[in-house]
Amino acid sequence: MAKDLITVTSPLLPDLDEFSSMLQDIWSSKWITNNGQFHRQLEKELAEYLGVPYVSLFTNGTLPLLTALQALRVTGEVITTPYSFVATTHCIWWSGCKPVFVDIDPATGNIDPEKIEAAITPKTTAIMPVHVYGKPCDTKRIQEIADKYGLKVIYDAAHAFGVKVNGESILNAGDMSTLSFHATKVYNTLEGGAMIMHDEATKKRIDYLKNFGFAGETEVIAPGINSKVDEVRAAYGILNLRQVDDAIEARHQVAIRYREALRDVDGITFMEDMPGVKHNYSYFPIFIDADKYGTTRDELYFRMKSENVLGRRYFYPLISEFTTYKGLPSASKDNLSNAHKMADSVICLPMHHALSEEDIERTLSLIVK
């Protein structure tokens, strides 16, 4: 008999009775999209929860990246990381800009600020860093560089829901930050996303752009896109927001168990919590040194998979290795040695609020010899 699947992620699900009641309210109102009551309520509650001035909801996590680039009128070259989900770079390409890859900090997986300055040219207009695995980028140093050269900074914070540094939300860094509320994330609205901005005027412009550019019944101010969130997903998100803290704490306990079991395993390393950071434990990556561990990353990955324990080689391959981007000068392997080393050694272990002790033990039994 096949063993039950143990997956990397499991979606946070709202109480069905509460959700059913909210659906009845939606059906009764006959208002199911276009800035309805639950949409407005979720934006307000998210801003309060996250500790940010303004939130604009989107239908997924990719469209706010595209809209941020448009709203900030970014052109030319955008410096970014190869160690991310491919949507980060796709949005730069779709905006008619050229992605320029720089290497990562091997301790965090985030873009290395000390490599950014050397990649700046007269065509550079923006930096798009990623808070990888929810680990905060060095936002202070990145902003210093951006200010020195007059660059915009858009953070892809898809993994960073609720993450704070010394009590301050990392979503307040840069010109804008974007979130993903995909079902695989710590917090989800089935499928969805959001943009964080600093002032009311920018929020108004973003809200226009995500609704085809309409600024009223008969006025279109820009060639916007359709990325509105319906009332059903907004209601779903309101209910999930009430339980996300418990889910994050459950993830924290899983991280503690993994660290206890793996700390002394030769050839396996992992990321520790960063001082002063409130983490969300969105992922738990481990890194395999085959010479010390005696097994390659891929051998361990496929061994786990054969036992229905579905880890994830996240992020492998690098974005810079995909055919679409491989020809860029900045995609050279020599330029991205740290990123390649991390991509070739990583496995993200199952990490979610619904993991049982049996799930954890079964996962660890395949790793710890």
Side-chain angles (χ1 to χ4, degrees):
M1 182 176 176
K3 294 181 179 178
D4 291 340
L5 283 173
I6 300 177
T7 56
V8 174
T9 60
S10 180
L12 190 61
L13 302 171
D15 180 83
L16 282 176
D17 289 337
E18 288 185 293
F19 190 46
S20 178
S21 176
M22 295 180 85
L23 289 177
Q24 289 296 330
D25 291 341
I26 295 169
W27 301 164
S28 297
S29 72
K30 297 182 175 60
W31 190 332
I32 62 173
T33 189
N34 290 343
N35 200 32
Q37 62 168 334
F38 290 138
H39 179 283
R40 295 191 300 272
Q41 180 181 339
L42 181 56
E43 285 192 340
K44 181 175 182 295
E45 291 186 8
L46 280 172
E48 292 172 355
Y49 177 88
L50 296 170
V52 298
Y54 297 95
V55 173
S56 184
L57 292 174
F58 279 74
T59 195
N60 58 48
T62 302
L63 288 168
L65 283 171
L66 274 170
T67 304
L69 289 161
Q70 180 186 8
L72 294 173
R73 298 177 174 86
V74 173
T75 60
E77 296 176 353
V78 178
I79 293 173
T80 191
T81 172
Y83 196 74
S84 180
F85 186 63
V86 72
T88 306
T89 307
H90 280 354
C91 290
I92 296 170
W93 186 91
W94 274 107
S95 299
C97 299
K98 179 182 179 180
V100 176
F101 299 116
V102 301
D103 209 356
I104 62 172
D105 179 342
T108 64
N110 292 328
I111 193 169
D112 185 346
E114 301 314 313
K115 303 289 178 63
I116 291 174
E117 201 159 6
I120 295 172
T121 75
K123 296 180 180 179
T124 307
T125 59
I127 310 169
M128 186 178 282
V130 180
H131 299 297
V132 176
Y133 307 131
K135 301 285 185 182
C137 292
D138 186 346
T139 57
K140 181 179 179 181
R141 181 68 183 119
I142 291 170
Q143 195 60 54
E144 288 173 351
I145 295 168
D147 290 343
K148 180 178 177 180
Y149 291 93
L151 308 178
K152 302 295 185 183
V153 181
I154 301 166
Y155 281 99
D156 181 339
H159 295 175
F161 183 89
V163 175
K164 295 184 177 181
V165 178
N166 297 323
E168 172 74 15
S169 174
I170 62 169
L171 302 176
N172 286 320
D175 293 280
M176 293 175 181
S177 293
T178 68
L179 289 164
S180 170
F181 299 153
H182 185 267
T184 58
K185 298 300 189 287
V186 170
Y187 167 84
N188 79 91
T189 57
L190 291 172
E191 177 80 77
M195 188 190 296
I196 313 301
M197 63 288 295
H198 305 312
D199 60 84
E200 188 175 3
T202 302
K203 166 145 171 71
K204 182 179 287 189
R205 176 169 170 76
I206 295 301
D207 287 348
Y208 291 156
L209 290 175
K210 74 179 185 184
N211 184 28
F212 304 99
F214 275 103
E217 280 189 52
T218 58
E219 183 182 6
V220 173
I221 61 165
I225 200 165
N226 181 15
S227 48
K228 304 183 298 297
V229 173
D230 58 80
E231 287 292 271
V232 174
R233 280 185 287 176
Y236 192 100
I238 289 167
L239 295 178
N240 271 350
L241 194 58
R242 297 174 188 172
Q243 57 177 343
V244 70
D245 284 337
D246 289 341
I248 291 171
E249 179 54 30
R251 288 168 173 266
H252 184 196
Q253 295 306 312
V254 175
I256 290 172
R257 286 284 290 109
Y258 281 152
R259 286 173 179 153
E260 288 173 345
L262 298 174
R263 190 169 300 281
D264 297 322
V265 177
D266 200 24
I268 290 184
T269 55
F270 50 80
M271 294 176 175
E272 301 281 4
D273 285 355
M274 299 167 70
V277 175
K278 178 192 173 190
H279 293 277
N280 66 9
Y281 305 97
S282 54
Y283 295 91
F284 193 90
I286 63 172
F287 305 95
I288 312 300
D289 182 333
D291 292 337
K292 294 180 179 179
Y293 185 59
T295 300
T296 68
R297 186 275 306 274
D298 285 351
E299 286 170 343
L300 175 58
Y301 170 77
F302 286 111
R303 182 168 78 220
M304 292 169 61
K305 193 172 183 179
S306 72
E307 294 293 327
N308 273 351
V309 177
L310 304 185
R312 188 175 182 187
R313 294 171 292 181
Y314 199 57
F315 300 96
Y316 169 84
L318 294 176
I319 299 173
S320 53
E321 287 294 284
F322 292 126
T323 303
T324 308
Y325 304 111
K326 200 169 185 176
L328 293 171
S330 63
S332 165
K333 192 169 184 176
D334 293 339
N335 186 50
L336 306 169
S337 58
N338 291 332
H340 275 276
K341 183 177 179 181
M342 188 168 283
D344 290 342
S345 64
V346 67
I347 300 178
C348 285
L349 300 185
M351 166 54 81
H352 54 81
H353 67 289
L355 282 174
S356 67
E357 181 62 26
E358 182 182 356
D359 293 335
I360 296 169
E361 287 292 340
R362 197 171 119 207
T363 300
L364 289 169
S365 71
L366 296 168
I367 303 169
V368 181
K369 300 176 182 179

mmCIF file of all heavy atoms in Angstrom, residues 93-120:
data_model
loop_
_atom_site.group_PDB
_atom_site.id
_atom_site.type_symbol
_atom_site.label_atom_id
_atom_site.label_comp_id
_atom_site.label_asym_id
_atom_site.label_seq_id
_atom_site.Cartn_x
_atom_site.Cartn_y
_atom_site.Cartn_z
ATOM 1 N N TRP A 93 10.646 41.472 -18.083
ATOM 2 C CA TRP A 93 10.602 41.264 -19.538
ATOM 3 C C TRP A 93 9.290 41.784 -20.127
ATOM 4 O O TRP A 93 9.292 42.479 -21.150
ATOM 5 C CB TRP A 93 10.785 39.778 -19.844
ATOM 6 C CG TRP A 93 10.887 39.474 -21.314
ATOM 7 C CD1 TRP A 93 12.014 39.404 -22.062
ATOM 8 C CD2 TRP A 93 9.796 39.205 -22.202
ATOM 9 N NE1 TRP A 93 11.714 39.101 -23.370
ATOM 10 C CE2 TRP A 93 10.350 38.977 -23.483
ATOM 11 C CE3 TRP A 93 8.414 39.132 -22.054
ATOM 12 C CZ2 TRP A 93 9.562 38.687 -24.596
ATOM 13 C CZ3 TRP A 93 7.621 38.846 -23.155
ATOM 14 C CH2 TRP A 93 8.201 38.616 -24.417
ATOM 15 N N TRP A 94 8.168 41.437 -19.491
ATOM 16 C CA TRP A 94 6.864 41.874 -19.993
ATOM 17 C C TRP A 94 6.731 43.400 -19.986
ATOM 18 O O TRP A 94 5.949 43.971 -20.753
ATOM 19 C CB TRP A 94 5.741 41.261 -19.151
ATOM 20 C CG TRP A 94 5.333 39.887 -19.601
ATOM 21 C CD1 TRP A 94 5.596 38.700 -18.985
ATOM 22 C CD2 TRP A 94 4.586 39.553 -20.775
ATOM 23 N NE1 TRP A 94 5.073 37.651 -19.692
ATOM 24 C CE2 TRP A 94 4.442 38.146 -20.807
ATOM 25 C CE3 TRP A 94 4.034 40.309 -21.819
ATOM 26 C CZ2 TRP A 94 3.773 37.477 -21.821
ATOM 27 C CZ3 TRP A 94 3.358 39.636 -22.830
ATOM 28 C CH2 TRP A 94 3.235 38.249 -22.828
ATOM 29 N N SER A 95 7.491 44.060 -19.130
ATOM 30 C CA SER A 95 7.441 45.525 -19.053
ATOM 31 C C SER A 95 8.350 46.196 -20.074
ATOM 32 O O SER A 95 8.479 47.421 -20.079
ATOM 33 C CB SER A 95 7.828 45.986 -17.640
ATOM 34 O OG SER A 95 6.920 45.473 -16.694
ATOM 35 N N GLY A 96 8.973 45.377 -20.922
ATOM 36 C CA GLY A 96 9.852 45.930 -21.951
ATOM 37 C C GLY A 96 11.218 46.329 -21.429
ATOM 38 O O GLY A 96 11.949 47.064 -22.106
ATOM 39 N N CYS A 97 11.562 45.841 -20.231
ATOM 40 C CA CYS A 97 12.851 46.172 -19.635
ATOM 41 C C CYS A 97 13.813 44.986 -19.758
ATOM 42 O O CYS A 97 13.408 43.875 -20.083
ATOM 43 C CB CYS A 97 12.682 46.540 -18.156
ATOM 44 S SG CYS A 97 11.615 47.975 -17.879
ATOM 45 N N LYS A 98 15.074 45.238 -19.471
ATOM 46 C CA LYS A 98 16.093 44.196 -19.548
ATOM 47 C C LYS A 98 16.513 43.788 -18.137
ATOM 48 O O LYS A 98 17.005 44.615 -17.365
ATOM 49 C CB LYS A 98 17.318 44.708 -20.317
ATOM 50 C CG LYS A 98 18.450 43.693 -20.424
ATOM 51 C CD LYS A 98 19.644 44.304 -21.159
ATOM 52 C CE LYS A 98 20.805 43.319 -21.260
ATOM 53 N NZ LYS A 98 21.959 43.912 -21.975
ATOM 54 N N PRO A 99 16.325 42.513 -17.772
ATOM 55 C CA PRO A 99 16.792 42.063 -16.463
ATOM 56 C C PRO A 99 18.313 41.942 -16.445
ATOM 57 O O PRO A 99 18.923 41.474 -17.410
ATOM 58 C CB PRO A 99 16.128 40.687 -16.294
ATOM 59 C CG PRO A 99 15.814 40.230 -17.675
ATOM 60 C CD PRO A 99 15.617 41.457 -18.512
ATOM 61 N N VAL A 100 18.897 42.375 -15.352
ATOM 62 C CA VAL A 100 20.345 42.259 -15.151
ATOM 63 C C VAL A 100 20.559 41.498 -13.847
ATOM 64 O O VAL A 100 20.175 41.971 -12.770
ATOM 65 C CB VAL A 100 21.024 43.643 -15.084
ATOM 66 C CG1 VAL A 100 22.515 43.490 -14.766
ATOM 67 C CG2 VAL A 100 20.823 44.402 -16.393
ATOM 68 N N PHE A 101 21.153 40.313 -13.947
ATOM 69 C CA PHE A 101 21.323 39.463 -12.776
ATOM 70 C C PHE A 101 22.604 39.808 -12.022
ATOM 71 O O PHE A 101 23.658 40.049 -12.629
ATOM 72 C CB PHE A 101 21.389 37.988 -13.198
ATOM 73 C CG PHE A 101 20.149 37.490 -13.885
ATOM 74 C CD1 PHE A 101 20.191 37.081 -15.212
ATOM 75 C CD2 PHE A 101 18.943 37.423 -13.208
ATOM 76 C CE1 PHE A 101 19.063 36.608 -15.856
ATOM 77 C CE2 PHE A 101 17.796 36.956 -13.839
ATOM 78 C CZ PHE A 101 17.859 36.552 -15.168
ATOM 79 N N VAL A 102 22.500 39.808 -10.693
ATOM 80 C CA VAL A 102 23.697 39.868 -9.851
ATOM 81 C C VAL A 102 23.640 38.716 -8.861
ATOM 82 O O VAL A 102 22.567 38.131 -8.609
ATOM 83 C CB VAL A 102 23.840 41.220 -9.116
ATOM 84 C CG1 VAL A 102 23.897 42.364 -10.104
ATOM 85 C CG2 VAL A 102 22.717 41.433 -8.124
ATOM 86 N N ASP A 103 24.771 38.386 -8.284
ATOM 87 C CA ASP A 103 24.874 37.208 -7.426
ATOM 88 C C ASP A 103 24.213 37.448 -6.071
ATOM 89 O O ASP A 103 23.828 38.566 -5.727
ATOM 90 C CB ASP A 103 26.343 36.823 -7.246
ATOM 91 C CG ASP A 103 26.542 35.332 -7.020
ATOM 92 O OD1 ASP A 103 25.545 34.591 -6.932
ATOM 93 O OD2 ASP A 103 27.716 34.901 -6.931
ATOM 94 N N ILE A 104 24.108 36.369 -5.305
ATOM 95 C CA ILE A 104 23.406 36.403 -4.029
ATOM 96 C C ILE A 104 24.375 36.298 -2.855
ATOM 97 O O ILE A 104 25.525 35.886 -2.992
ATOM 98 C CB ILE A 104 22.369 35.269 -3.938
ATOM 99 C CG1 ILE A 104 23.061 33.894 -4.016
ATOM 100 C CG2 ILE A 104 21.321 35.427 -5.041
ATOM 101 C CD1 ILE A 104 22.132 32.720 -3.741
ATOM 102 N N ASP A 105 23.860 36.653 -1.701
ATOM 103 C CA ASP A 105 24.563 36.449 -0.436
ATOM 104 C C ASP A 105 24.381 34.983 -0.050
ATOM 105 O O ASP A 105 23.247 34.522 0.119
ATOM 106 C CB ASP A 105 23.946 37.368 0.623
ATOM 107 C CG ASP A 105 24.585 37.220 1.994
ATOM 108 O OD1 ASP A 105 25.261 36.198 2.246
ATOM 109 O OD2 ASP A 105 24.377 38.110 2.833
ATOM 110 N N PRO A 106 25.465 34.215 0.102
ATOM 111 C CA PRO A 106 25.310 32.786 0.379
ATOM 112 C C PRO A 106 24.691 32.490 1.736
ATOM 113 O O PRO A 106 24.217 31.368 1.966
ATOM 114 C CB PRO A 106 26.747 32.258 0.302
ATOM 115 C CG PRO A 106 27.622 33.439 0.539
ATOM 116 C CD PRO A 106 26.883 34.611 -0.031
ATOM 117 N N ALA A 107 24.657 33.465 2.637
ATOM 118 C CA ALA A 107 24.082 33.238 3.961
ATOM 119 C C ALA A 107 22.557 33.335 3.959
ATOM 120 O O ALA A 107 21.883 32.685 4.764
ATOM 121 C CB ALA A 107 24.654 34.235 4.971
ATOM 122 N N THR A 108 21.996 34.132 3.042
ATOM 123 C CA THR A 108 20.546 34.375 3.053
ATOM 124 C C THR A 108 19.832 33.954 1.776
ATOM 125 O O THR A 108 18.617 33.772 1.779
ATOM 126 C CB THR A 108 20.255 35.864 3.273
ATOM 127 O OG1 THR A 108 20.772 36.615 2.153
ATOM 128 C CG2 THR A 108 20.873 36.375 4.569
ATOM 129 N N GLY A 109 20.568 33.848 0.680
ATOM 130 C CA GLY A 109 19.944 33.589 -0.617
ATOM 131 C C GLY A 109 19.421 34.852 -1.279
ATOM 132 O O GLY A 109 18.923 34.808 -2.408
ATOM 133 N N ASN A 110 19.539 36.000 -0.591
ATOM 134 C CA ASN A 110 19.061 37.268 -1.139
ATOM 135 C C ASN A 110 20.119 37.938 -2.009
ATOM 136 O O ASN A 110 21.317 37.637 -1.901
ATOM 137 C CB ASN A 110 18.679 38.219 0.000
ATOM 138 C CG ASN A 110 17.468 37.752 0.767
ATOM 139 O OD1 ASN A 110 16.571 37.126 0.208
ATOM 140 N ND2 ASN A 110 17.429 38.054 2.064
ATOM 141 N N ILE A 111 19.692 38.864 -2.836
ATOM 142 C CA ILE A 111 20.599 39.627 -3.674
ATOM 143 C C ILE A 111 21.690 40.254 -2.810
ATOM 144 O O ILE A 111 21.427 40.759 -1.709
ATOM 145 C CB ILE A 111 19.816 40.692 -4.481
ATOM 146 C CG1 ILE A 111 20.663 41.280 -5.598
ATOM 147 C CG2 ILE A 111 19.263 41.785 -3.563
ATOM 148 C CD1 ILE A 111 19.843 42.120 -6.578
ATOM 149 N N ASP A 112 22.927 40.203 -3.278
ATOM 150 C CA ASP A 112 24.069 40.735 -2.543
ATOM 151 C C ASP A 112 24.218 42.221 -2.867
ATOM 152 O O ASP A 112 24.574 42.579 -3.992
ATOM 153 C CB ASP A 112 25.336 39.976 -2.946
ATOM 154 C CG ASP A 112 26.560 40.380 -2.133
ATOM 155 O OD1 ASP A 112 26.502 41.431 -1.450
ATOM 156 O OD2 ASP A 112 27.565 39.654 -2.181
ATOM 157 N N PRO A 113 23.938 43.104 -1.897
ATOM 158 C CA PRO A 113 24.022 44.542 -2.185
ATOM 159 C C PRO A 113 25.389 44.972 -2.707
ATOM 160 O O PRO A 113 25.484 45.909 -3.509
ATOM 161 C CB PRO A 113 23.727 45.190 -0.825
ATOM 162 C CG PRO A 113 22.966 44.169 -0.064
ATOM 163 C CD PRO A 113 23.518 42.848 -0.508
ATOM 164 N N GLU A 114 26.444 44.281 -2.263
ATOM 165 C CA GLU A 114 27.788 44.677 -2.678
ATOM 166 C C GLU A 114 28.059 44.350 -4.141
ATOM 167 O O GLU A 114 29.061 44.803 -4.709
ATOM 168 C CB GLU A 114 28.827 44.021 -1.778
ATOM 169 C CG GLU A 114 28.675 44.373 -0.303
ATOM 170 C CD GLU A 114 28.463 45.865 -0.059
ATOM 171 O OE1 GLU A 114 29.207 46.687 -0.637
ATOM 172 O OE2 GLU A 114 27.521 46.215 0.695
ATOM 173 N N LYS A 115 27.188 43.565 -4.757
ATOM 174 C CA LYS A 115 27.335 43.251 -6.187
ATOM 175 C C LYS A 115 26.466 44.163 -7.067
ATOM 176 O O LYS A 115 26.611 44.181 -8.282
ATOM 177 C CB LYS A 115 26.952 41.787 -6.446
ATOM 178 C CG LYS A 115 27.734 40.762 -5.637
ATOM 179 C CD LYS A 115 29.164 40.650 -6.114
ATOM 180 C CE LYS A 115 29.960 39.657 -5.271
ATOM 181 N NZ LYS A 115 29.466 38.283 -5.354
ATOM 182 N N ILE A 116 25.556 44.883 -6.435
ATOM 183 C CA ILE A 116 24.604 45.698 -7.199
ATOM 184 C C ILE A 116 25.289 46.860 -7.896
ATOM 185 O O ILE A 116 25.083 47.118 -9.089
ATOM 186 C CB ILE A 116 23.469 46.218 -6.284
ATOM 187 C CG1 ILE A 116 22.569 45.064 -5.839
ATOM 188 C CG2 ILE A 116 22.646 47.291 -7.001
ATOM 189 C CD1 ILE A 116 21.505 45.453 -4.830
ATOM 190 N N GLU A 117 26.125 47.568 -7.152
ATOM 191 C CA GLU A 117 26.692 48.818 -7.672
ATOM 192 C C GLU A 117 27.498 48.583 -8.950
ATOM 193 O O GLU A 117 27.439 49.379 -9.892
ATOM 194 C CB GLU A 117 27.561 49.472 -6.597
ATOM 195 C CG GLU A 117 27.772 50.940 -6.814
ATOM 196 C CD GLU A 117 28.169 51.688 -5.559
ATOM 197 O OE1 GLU A 117 28.400 51.048 -4.508
ATOM 198 O OE2 GLU A 117 28.261 52.930 -5.634
ATOM 199 N N ALA A 118 28.229 47.466 -8.995
ATOM 200 C CA ALA A 118 29.043 47.176 -10.179
ATOM 201 C C ALA A 118 28.208 46.887 -11.412
ATOM 202 O O ALA A 118 28.694 46.990 -12.541
ATOM 203 C CB ALA A 118 29.966 45.992 -9.882
ATOM 204 N N ALA A 119 26.925 46.529 -11.204
ATOM 205 C CA ALA A 119 26.045 46.187 -12.327
ATOM 206 C C ALA A 119 25.272 47.389 -12.858
ATOM 207 O O ALA A 119 24.571 47.280 -13.868
ATOM 208 C CB ALA A 119 25.070 45.097 -11.900
ATOM 209 N N ILE A 120 25.386 48.538 -12.203
ATOM 210 C CA ILE A 120 24.646 49.726 -12.619
ATOM 211 C C ILE A 120 25.294 50.356 -13.850
ATOM 212 O O ILE A 120 26.513 50.513 -13.923
ATOM 213 C CB ILE A 120 24.582 50.749 -11.461
ATOM 214 C CG1 ILE A 120 23.769 50.172 -10.301
ATOM 215 C CG2 ILE A 120 23.959 52.065 -11.929
ATOM 216 C CD1 ILE A 120 23.807 51.028 -9.044
#
